[in-house]
């Protein structure tokens, strides 16, 4: 069993930055792919970014070049640095763990979500 707890969401103006954190506990952190998904009101949940246990990273086209995913294995924490934020980035962001790439197929664990709101 893995527990995921996100933090770092909030309200920011367009063009600003936020860093989301996801602290994992339970089973060995390094054996999973970790990542982020988001869900905007009235829309389906979508893939944002992922990082494999070997350090390979994957990004949705909509965030490539603006968002960076990273991990601190000593702290069992995955981060999502979000720069140049746009109003369309507004969503609830969910941390995920499992074996997945670009979709939620293979996600075994979800966090509770953290709200990110970008004002224009």
């Amino acid at each position: 069993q893995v527990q995921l707890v996100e933090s770092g969401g909030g309200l920011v103006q367009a063009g600003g930055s936020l860093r989301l954190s996801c602290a994992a506990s339970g089973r060995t952190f390094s054996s999973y792919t970790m990542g982020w998904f988001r869900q905007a009101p009235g829309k389906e949940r979508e893939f944002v970014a992922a990082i494999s246990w070997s350090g390979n990273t994957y990004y949705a086209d909509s965030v490539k070049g603006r968002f960076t995913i990273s991990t601190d294995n000593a702290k069992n924490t995955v981060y999502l640095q979000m720069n140049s934020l746009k109003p369309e980035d507004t969503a609830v962001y969910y941390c995920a763990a499992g074996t997945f790439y670009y979709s939620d197929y293979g996600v075994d664990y979800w966090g509770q979500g953290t709200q990110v709101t970008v004002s224009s």
Side-chain angles (χ1 to χ4, degrees):
Q1 192 74 11
V2 173
Q3 293 79 42
L4 304 173
V5 179
E6 302 101 331
S7 61
L11 173 65
V12 65
Q13 288 189 333
S17 298
L18 281 176
R19 189 177 79 158
L20 304 183
S21 300
C22 173
S25 61
R27 291 187 61 184
T28 305
F29 175 81
S30 61
S31 63
Y32 287 100
T33 290
M34 302 296 297
W36 295 90
F37 291 76
R38 66 187 182 186
Q39 187 168 20
K43 295 187 176 181
E44 294 188 353
R45 184 165 52 195
E46 64 176 2
F47 170 80
V48 175
I51 184 166
S52 71
W53 63 270
S54 60
N56 294 322
T57 57
Y58 308 87
Y59 296 96
D61 287 342
S62 59
V63 307
K64 202 171 294 184
R66 300 188 298 121
F67 291 10
T68 303
I69 189 169
S70 62
T71 57
D72 183 335
N73 288 337
K75 295 182 179 180
N76 280 358
T77 300
V78 59
Y79 303 99
L80 186 68
Q81 178 67 44
M82 305 185 294
N83 298 329
S84 302
L85 282 161
K86 305 175 181 180
E88 51 263 44
D89 295 317
T90 295
V92 177
Y93 283 71
Y94 296 91
C95 181
T99 51
F100 59 93
Y101 308 98
Y102 301 113
S103 80
D104 60 5
Y105 180 79
V107 173
D108 295 320
Y109 303 100
W110 294 97
Q112 82 286 356
T114 186
Q115 176 70 46
V116 172
T117 303
V118 184
S119 63
S120 57

